[in-house]
Amino acid sequence: MCRQYIISKFPESVSGSGIAVYEDEGFSAKNTDRPRFRQMLADMRTCRPDYLVCYRLDRISRNVSDFSALIEELNERGISFVCIKEEFDTSKPMGKAMMYIASVFAQLERETIAERVRDNMLMLARTGRWLGGTAPLGYGSEKISEIIIDGRIRTACRLKEIPAELETVNTIFDKFIELQSVSGVSKYLISMDIRSRSGKFFSLPGIKEILQNPAYCTADRDAFMYFSSVNSDICFDEKDCSGRFGLLAYNKRDYKKKNAPRRPAEQWIVAIGKHSGLISGRRWSAVQKIIEDNIPTGKKPAKMHNDYSLLSGLIVCEKCGSRMFAKPRSVLSSNGRLYDYICGSKLKGGTKLCSCPNLTGMQTDELVCRSISGYLKESPRILVLLEKLVRDIRSAENENPSEAIEAAIKKLSDEADNLICALSHGDLSPAFVQKVNARIAEIDSEIKKLECKKSGLEAEADRFGQTDTAEIIAEELFDMKKIFSEPGVLSVYEKRSIVRLLVKRIYWDGENMRICIGVK
């Protein structure tokens, strides 16, 4: 229809070279992130055609903002827009207004359809049907048919057990309860050459996804109590918990956001499925408790950013290409924590994935620092990097974290004053007075911690304030052994910053180490 329109209105374009066709079959018009549409925009900016012709407005976009941006760009480039179905004339104000109104209704139609489909899917979810997608490990999808009223046949899907894969799932749950570590389970699976459905070794997120999938949980009383405790939308009663079937959870991810993050369990819809359960509710809820306890919190920080090694993640294993990370030993020495640098693949799967020897942490750090110290005395371009370090230090100073701490102290002090004022009123219950006094004590403790932190930052700022030029820093860095070995001269984080400023990468092949200095 577009070709016929062009031939009838612009016969001079029928030569063939005058018409370029752009189709995005199988792509939704919910946005403009479509390959051929992007190519059309790029060609339009270079070739500057006279007209852009489409069948209907919703073939361009069903998003008002995207459509508006396109029309504005066409107007700026003097390109006329033709819609053969609605027959809009964008050269006139009324035609342009009607076009935008039609675009609004196209977006409304798309969102209405999406909402209707979503509501219908959630309604079907409450019946325990498998609604499609990739079946979890241990199950496949099969169609089942049943006759309903008037002899009509209704087709639905359910999960069908795959015994060999369910064995693997059972092993994963067993080893996690034993080791209480996802990485520990990964190492075990690699050592036993147990692989995923695709033939690859299980990734850590993949193992965690299996452990958190309710499809393996049996619909019993313990499962009902667990999902009740986390306020999930449960589509069955406790009397329905026969312990025979597994569960299905829907609405687990927010697909409107990038990477579809998991929603909290209180937003899940949990129904009894048509498949057999594998893990008892008591066992499954115990696994969830272990996972929850392993999540880093403010009181229990993650162990990724250690406070003892200088080169973690900077060393590359030449045998497999993975980075090497610091792993602490279980014992302490008189000089502090003992640790080793171990290949990431080896950490994940042991010697089965990589047999590269480990590096002793403190000795490796000392060796690298000696090498840097020798290079500092020879390189005339070292001042370039040192000036960058000074700029970074001054930039950090300009952020002035002391002001944020001061504001937090003031806020806590004001809260304490308000609480003390509240205590001055009569007729207060003893329980209330006890709670207020406890909160005031907490505030005093928090203020003391913040004041100590502020004093430390000010002392550190005074020390940095004395190093005004790159030359002064250079003189200190030339004696690398002194500043890295003497306690109190630099913190681990400052030493690490200096090393990473100078060293681009370190390679270890099991026998020899190559240090690539980053000075150009």
Side-chain angles (χ1 to χ4, degrees):
M1 292 177 69
C2 289
R3 284 184 179 277
Q4 289 174 0
Y5 180 89
I6 295 171
I7 291 170
S8 62
K9 297 293 184 181
F10 315 103
E12 67 277 5
S13 301
V14 185
S15 61
S17 60
I19 301 175
V21 180
Y22 300 88
E23 288 182 289
D24 277 308
E25 187 175 354
F27 285 84
S28 169
K30 65 181 179 180
N31 56 46
T32 57
D33 189 18
R34 311 184 312 258
R36 291 293 292 165
F37 187 89
R38 290 292 183 190
Q39 184 62 48
M40 181 193 74
L41 293 180
D43 294 346
M44 186 180 70
R45 289 161 187 160
T46 56
C47 302
R48 290 183 176 272
D50 297 316
Y51 295 91
L52 173 60
V53 181
C54 75
Y55 168 61
R56 283 180 54 178
L57 283 181
D58 58 9
R59 300 303 90 195
I60 291 289
S61 176
R62 292 183 177 181
N63 183 292
V64 176
S65 60
D66 290 340
F67 183 78
S68 176
L70 174 65
I71 296 302
E72 291 301 323
E73 183 171 353
L74 292 176
N75 291 339
E76 289 176 5
R77 299 180 184 279
I79 302 171
S80 299
F81 177 75
V82 177
C83 179
I84 64 175
K85 195 68 176 177
E86 285 89 357
E87 296 184 356
F88 292 121
D89 183 359
T90 59
S91 63
K92 296 179 181 179
M94 184 56 70
K96 191 173 183 179
M98 292 301 296
M99 181 180 60
Y100 281 119
I101 291 172
S103 176
V104 169
F105 278 100
Q107 178 171 337
L108 176 63
E109 179 187 12
R110 177 180 70 84
E111 292 176 352
T112 302
I113 292 172
E115 184 176 2
R116 191 182 303 128
V117 170
R118 184 167 55 251
D119 290 344
N120 187 48
M121 294 290 281
L122 293 178
M123 180 196 70
L124 292 174
R126 295 178 182 275
T127 66
R129 296 186 188 182
W130 174 249
L131 300 182
T134 304
L137 185 73
Y139 298 98
S141 178
E142 68 171 354
K143 289 186 178 181
I144 54 174
S145 301
E146 58 181 359
I147 299 176
I148 55 176
I149 301 173
D150 299 331
R152 289 181 297 162
I153 298 176
R154 181 177 64 183
T155 301
C157 290
R158 73 172 183 181
L159 295 177
K160 180 182 179 180
E161 294 78 13
I162 303 175
E165 291 185 356
L166 285 178
E167 242 181 82
T168 299
V169 173
N170 212 3
T171 300
I172 289 174
F173 274 88
D174 285 343
K175 297 308 293 185
F176 183 76
I177 291 175
E178 175 189 342
L179 304 172
Q180 300 194 8
S181 165
V182 174
S183 60
V185 173
S186 174
K187 289 179 183 177
Y188 175 80
L189 296 176
I190 292 171
S191 67
M192 300 300 293
D193 199 29
I194 299 175
R195 300 172 183 259
S196 66
R197 184 180 289 167
S198 64
K200 298 179 180 178
F201 288 118
F202 287 91
S203 66
L204 298 182
I207 295 173
K208 191 174 181 181
E209 181 68 26
I210 290 171
L211 293 169
Q212 292 182 305
N213 195 336
Y216 305 112
C217 181
T218 302
D220 56 19
R221 187 176 180 278
D222 291 311
F224 182 86
M225 297 300 294
Y226 173 81
F227 285 105
S228 297
S229 68
V230 296
N231 299 317
S232 297
D233 185 359
I234 304 175
C235 305
F236 55 93
D237 297 322
E238 188 174 354
K239 60 182 177 58
D240 300 324
C241 300
S242 64
R244 177 184 172 190
F245 298 105
L247 296 174
L248 287 177
Y250 307 89
N251 202 40
K252 290 192 300 181
R253 294 188 177 273
D254 188 354
Y255 290 99
K256 293 181 180 179
K257 297 181 180 178
K258 188 177 181 181
N259 298 327
R262 289 175 70 94
R263 288 190 170 104
E266 63 187 26
Q267 297 182 24
W268 293 6
I269 297 173
V270 182
I272 297 178
K274 310 292 185 185
H275 63 286
S276 299
L278 178 68
I279 308 298
S280 69
R282 181 186 296 273
R283 192 168 162 223
W284 193 85
S285 56
V287 167
Q288 309 316 304
K289 180 68 167 60
I290 296 171
I291 293 175
E292 185 180 345
D293 290 342
N294 287 344
I295 296 175
T297 63
K299 295 180 180 178
K300 186 186 65 177
K303 297 180 180 179
M304 292 171 149
H305 306 291
N306 64 67
D307 57 356
Y308 50 86
S309 75
L310 302 181
L311 309 173
S312 186
L314 196 61
I315 307 173
V316 175
C317 169
E318 288 200 281
K319 287 201 171 184
C320 68
S322 298
R323 294 192 178 193
M324 300 182 70
F325 300 97
K327 183 178 180 181
R329 298 181 186 177
S330 57
V331 295
L332 295 175
S333 70
S334 57
N335 296 328
R337 183 182 293 275
L338 294 176
Y339 56 95
D340 299 292
Y341 292 113
I342 306 177
C343 170
S345 297
K346 193 174 181 180
L347 281 171
K348 180 182 177 182
T351 55
K352 187 176 182 67
L353 288 186
C354 185
S355 58
C356 187
N358 302 339
L359 283 166
T360 305
M362 296 181 70
Q363 292 180 4
T364 304
D365 289 350
E366 185 180 347
L367 174 64
V368 171
C369 291
R370 281 206 309 266
S371 299
I372 295 173
S373 179
Y375 186 85
L376 288 175
K377 296 177 181 178
E378 300 172 1
S379 174
R381 292 182 172 269
I382 193 63
L383 289 181
V384 175
L385 288 180
L386 294 178
E387 286 170 358
K388 179 180 181 299
L389 179 60
V390 171
R391 288 196 300 271
D392 292 343
I393 291 170
R394 288 174 179 167
S395 174
E397 287 177 346
N398 291 335
E399 294 176 1
N400 200 357
S402 295
E403 292 182 1
I405 294 176
E406 186 65 40
I409 291 174
K410 185 178 184 304
K411 185 177 179 181
L412 290 170
S413 299
D414 291 342
E415 182 184 349
D417 292 341
N418 292 334
L419 291 173
I420 293 171
C421 182
L423 287 176
S424 63
H425 298 286
D427 301 328
L428 298 176
S429 67
F432 178 78
V433 173
Q434 185 178 0
K435 288 183 179 179
V436 170
N437 286 331
R439 178 55 186 158
I440 291 174
E442 288 178 4
I443 291 173
D444 287 340
S445 176
E446 290 177 22
I447 288 176
K448 288 178 181 177
K449 290 179 182 177
L450 289 172
E451 286 176 343
C452 289
K453 188 174 181 181
K454 181 183 174 186
S455 300
L457 287 172
E458 289 174 349
E460 189 174 342
D462 291 341
R463 182 163 56 82
F464 272 127
Q466 296 172 0
T467 53
D468 294 327
T469 65
E471 287 82 358
I472 296 176
I473 297 179
E475 288 298 326
E476 293 183 1
L477 288 181
F478 284 156
D479 192 356
M480 198 68 132
K481 182 178 179 181
K482 175 184 176 183
I483 65 172
F484 273 83
S485 60
E486 288 189 10
V489 177
L490 290 177
S491 69
V492 171
Y493 302 102
E494 291 165 346
K495 295 175 184 178
R496 189 181 295 161
S497 297
I498 294 173
V499 170
R500 291 178 183 271
L501 179 73
L502 302 174
V503 177
K504 185 177 181 181
R505 196 62 56 87
I506 301 171
Y507 295 95
W508 168 246
D509 63 6
E511 295 182 1
N512 301 298
M513 180 184 294
R514 293 187 294 116
I515 303 172
C516 299
I517 303 295
V519 182
K520 296 181 180 179

